[in-house]
Amino acid sequence: MQLKKKGGMMVAAILAMAAVMALPVQAQQKAEKPHSAAEIKKDVADHRAMAEAHLNAAKCLEGGKSEKECHAQLAKDCKGLAIGKYCGMKHRH
């Protein structure tokens, strides 16, 4: 009888952990302090800079340069702007 109770408690604990892990990111972000006008302006500028860096990477590839060369330039253009070596964007390949 005790094994069933312990097993049931284990299942309940696992389900509770799964529910906590499944909370939407947006719900977690709502608890954060809203961005100031200056922070929003900087975010917009950063996104524009990342977009320009990706556009330049596309032009680099269209120009016949190697993926390695174009990704190296993308990394330089995005330094300090985005997460990861692909400027916040990872492809399927």
Side-chain angles (χ1 to χ4, degrees):
M1 191 88 165
Q2 278 192 338
L3 288 177
K4 288 184 181 178
K5 285 184 181 178
K6 286 184 181 178
M9 288 172 40
M10 180 64 89
V11 170
I14 290 170
L15 290 174
M17 287 175 32
V20 169
M21 292 171 64
L23 286 175
V25 174
Q26 290 177 339
Q28 293 173 359
Q29 290 175 342
K30 284 184 180 180
E32 294 178 12
K33 183 178 119 183
H35 290 277
S36 69
E39 289 170 323
I40 292 170
K41 188 175 181 177
K42 183 180 181 329
D43 285 347
V44 169
D46 288 347
H47 281 287
R48 289 186 193 280
M50 284 185 269
E52 184 177 350
H54 280 281
L55 183 58
N56 288 339
K59 289 176 182 177
C60 178
L61 292 168
E62 286 175 335
K65 293 183 180 177
S66 72
E67 189 172 325
K68 184 177 179 178
E69 186 177 359
C70 295
H71 281 175
Q73 186 60 48
L74 178 64
K76 288 179 190 176
D77 293 344
C78 280
K79 189 168 180 125
L81 284 176
I83 297 170
K85 63 182 181 177
Y86 299 109
C87 195
M89 185 173 175
K90 187 174 179 183
H91 295 272
R92 293 179 295 271
H93 57 90

